[in-house]
Structure formats: C-alpha cells, structure tokens
Amino acid sequence: MTELHLWLRHEVRSTERRTPLVPSDARRLVERGVTLTVEESPQRIFPVEEYEAAGCRIAPAGAWVSAPERAVVLGLKELPDQPGELTHDHIFFGHAYKRQPGAEALLGRFAAGGGTLLDLEYLVDDDGRRLAAFGFWAGYLGAALAVLQHRGRLTAPLTPLSKDELDALLRPVAGDEEFTALVIGALGRSGRGARLGFLTAGIEATPWDLAETRALDRPALLAHDVLVNAVLATTPVPPFLREEDLDDPGRRLRTVCDVTVDVGSPLNVLPVYDRTTEWTDPVRRLRKEPPLDLIAIDNLPSLLPRESSADFSSALLPQLLQFETGGPWGRCRDRFHQACRELGIVEGDFRNG
C-alpha cells in the first residue's frame, strides 16, 4: 500500500450525522501506517475525542481546504460552495454523473483545480457491484417513514434515533388499519431493507424487481396503499409513476417514499416531483383528492446514524487499506474522467490521472 494521508472532513449539511469512517476502523488504519486527520464536527454521531484516542490528528472543521497537497479528503455528502477550485482528491457521494442539477459546476471545480472526485457510488468490484453502500438502512428508513406517515404518526422535524427506538414506533398498536405495501427494487440492498422495515411494522410488502418492472402492471401498482421505490436506474426505463397516474380516479395509492431520490436526473423513475423533502418538512402532498403524500429525503440513513455508519465503515475499511491507483479506486478515477468528457469539461493536469 502506498503512503496515504486521509482527511475526514466535517459535513456541512446540518442534518448529516453519519460518518464514512467510525473510530474503531480509524484505529485500524492508523495501526497500518495511514496518517489520518479528523476534523471537529458538532453533529457527527461519534465525538472527535474517540478519533483522537484512536491515534488520529484533529483539525478544525473545514480545514481540508489547506490540507497537504497529497491528502485524500474523505466525506459523504456535498461540499461547500467554496473554494471554486478543488485541488485535492475527494472521496464522497458526488451525485454528478447522471446530469443531476449542479453536476457540471461540481466537476468543473475539480477540473479547474486539478483534483479528482472518487465517487463512492462508483466504488465497485470487477462485476460492477457496490463495495460500500448505505442502501439497506436507506430502505429500512424509507419503509419506516412511509408506515408512520400512513398511520398518521410521523412527526416533524425528524430527529435521529437508535434502531430500538425506531422499531418501538413501528410496531403496530390496537386500532391500526391494515394496508398494502409495494417495494420496487425488492432484491437489492435498499429493497431488502425496506421489506424488513415493513415486516417490523407488521406488513408483508409485495416485492417487485426486474421481472415485474419489465412489463409494468400499472393498475396493480396503483392498487397498493403504500409504495417504496428502491430502484437506482443506470439506463433509461419507462417511469413507474407518471402525472396522469396521480390523477387516475381508481388510484388507491396514498403514500410514496422515494428512497433513490433521483430528482432532476433523466433516469428518474418517479418523475412526478421536482424537489426533495427535508427533515423539517418530510412530507409533500402531491394530490389533495384523493390524497397522495411523498417522502423524498436524500440522506435517510442519517436518521439511524450509529448503525448506518458502522455498517458502511466496515465495508469501506478494506478498500481504504488497499487504496491504490488501480482496482476499484482506478475505476472511480476513470469514471470521473469519463463524466468530464461527457459534459465537455476540459480537464487540467491531473496529478494522479
């Protein structure tokens, strides 16, 4: 393994409580000779003192902008708007390779500064399978919030919980009406999480995957009370829900949770909304009569920050221990260059490319 300096940054989003690297795994990296700097962060679920005890260096929040040139900045969600030129290699979920809003601006910042985006969504094995993902917990929480909303027990603003606390809210109580639920993408990580979330709430969801969506039975979809979408499309497919479906007089569907949240992308399979929902206002009513409510939160696993961080970190750790220019990280680098070419962005003199 080449000498590596990882820089775990503070997340600028106030509702982001997760971390891609928990203190126990940080200790393992330090023991293997990795230099690890951790920024102070008031909302991270693990206090900075635990990282310091694991042998990490501590830096103020946002100090990554002046980190050593070869440091690799590790995070989860979006970067702040400044600096305009990104000079480091960054590991995080960029959401910039499917022409999402802001994609060109973000990649342009990397091109201007000579840095590289190593997008965690594209950290895959030889067969294209994701090596580290939050999908299971995203699905679990997607189902949980849909259940609570449908039962009239979802309160705002949302606040992080432990799994035991969430499960206690999910368990059915006397007077709860039966309802039907559908999970699309049921065989993937998110889909499996969603199905377990429904089971915890006493609901056995209908599972749909590729076989059922190749020739979509739209009336059957609309005949369910609750829908959780866990499909991450990589090629264009016919949408699962259309505007005309929302106005179908026979629609039984009342609650939709879009776990994937591909809003703004041409690959969005639920193109019936144009903005995400937030912790402060998690539900948006798409139709008044009959009612149809949408939940589309793009950092769902942050509501179970300890469990989701521990799972993700355990999957990411082996990849960080083998951080090289080839293999999965090389594929991330190649995908970044490809995305720049697709958007017509002229790349600079990349230090590691």
Side-chain angles (χ1 to χ4, degrees):
M1 175 176 165
T2 57
E3 184 177 337
L4 176 62
H5 184 178
L6 279 176
W7 193 288
L8 181 62
R9 64 174 168 86
H10 159 72
E11 298 288 333
V12 294
R13 187 186 298 201
S14 61
T15 59
E16 190 50 74
R17 309 299 173 85
R18 295 171 295 172
T19 176
L21 187 67
V22 302
S24 58
D25 291 333
R27 181 184 297 277
R28 293 183 62 185
L29 285 167
V30 171
E31 290 172 349
R32 290 284 295 272
V34 174
T35 300
L36 185 49
T37 300
V38 177
E39 291 187 357
E40 297 170 333
S41 179
Q43 73 250 21
R44 189 187 295 129
I45 187 62
F46 296 95
V48 75
E49 290 80 9
E50 293 188 25
Y51 291 96
E52 189 171 25
C56 303
R57 304 173 181 180
I58 305 303
W64 61 267
V65 297
S66 56
E69 180 184 4
R70 291 284 176 173
V72 178
V73 182
L74 174 62
L76 281 178
K77 301 297 284 187
E78 65 271 11
L79 294 170
D81 293 336
Q82 295 296 323
E85 298 182 358
L86 298 171
T87 60
H88 296 90
D89 286 355
H90 282 255
I91 301 171
F92 70 107
F93 290 100
H95 304 298
Y97 295 169
K98 292 185 286 184
R99 299 181 182 272
Q100 295 99 321
E104 188 169 356
L106 175 63
L107 297 182
R109 292 170 67 189
F110 279 105
T116 307
L117 169 59
L118 302 174
D119 197 308
L120 285 164
E121 186 177 332
Y122 297 85
L123 183 67
V124 297
D125 64 15
D126 293 341
D127 297 319
R129 289 188 292 264
R130 295 266 298 272
L131 291 168
F134 285 99
F136 179 86
W137 292 111
Y140 194 93
L141 280 153
L145 296 187
V147 167
L148 293 174
Q149 172 63 18
H150 199 74
R151 287 176 173 166
R153 295 206 288 269
L154 186 64
T155 59
L158 303 179
T159 56
L161 301 168
S162 70
K163 184 174 181 296
D164 287 344
E165 291 170 327
L166 178 61
D167 289 353
L169 294 174
L170 282 181
R171 294 188 187 100
V173 298
D176 281 342
E177 294 183 3
E178 293 287 330
F179 66 87
T180 59
L182 172 65
V183 175
I184 306 183
L187 300 183
R189 285 189 182 98
S190 294
R192 293 196 302 270
R195 291 164 68 189
L196 182 58
F198 279 121
L199 282 174
T200 303
I203 304 295
E204 186 161 357
T206 303
W208 282 10
D209 210 84
L210 285 174
E212 293 80 10
T213 55
R214 283 195 184 100
L216 190 71
D217 186 342
R218 204 169 298 277
L221 184 156
L222 297 175
H224 288 82
D225 298 298
V226 176
L227 165 66
V228 170
N229 172 54
V231 172
L232 181 64
T234 56
T235 57
V237 296
F240 300 154
L241 272 182
R242 309 161 304 181
E243 286 290 335
E244 55 262 41
D245 298 323
L246 307 192
D247 296 319
D248 187 325
R251 169 176 58 81
R252 182 173 171 178
L253 187 65
R254 296 292 184 269
T255 306
V256 174
C257 183
D258 188 6
V259 171
T260 304
V261 193
D262 236 353
V263 61
S265 166
L267 303 183
N268 186 10
V269 296
L270 296 182
V272 293
Y273 68 101
D274 57 3
R275 65 183 186 274
T276 61
T277 61
E278 308 295 336
W279 287 26
T280 53
D281 192 14
V283 181
R284 178 183 172 193
R285 180 144 289 186
L286 297 181
R287 290 293 187 275
K288 292 183 178 180
E289 189 61 38
L292 179 61
D293 293 328
L294 169 77
I295 300 169
I297 297 170
D298 66 356
N299 66 336
L300 281 171
S302 196
L303 290 165
L304 285 180
R306 187 172 295 273
E307 292 87 348
S308 62
S309 294
D311 276 0
F312 187 87
S313 179
S314 67
L316 184 62
L317 176 65
Q319 309 310 317
L320 294 175
L321 287 169
Q322 301 176 50
F323 188 84
E324 302 286 353
T325 56
W329 296 108
R331 283 189 284 270
C332 283
R333 199 175 299 278
D334 291 344
R335 186 64 186 86
F336 166 73
H337 294 311
Q338 178 187 340
C340 287
R341 290 192 299 270
E342 290 170 351
L343 289 174
I345 294 172
V346 178
E347 302 179 47
D349 181 18
F350 287 92
R351 293 172 288 111
N352 297 314

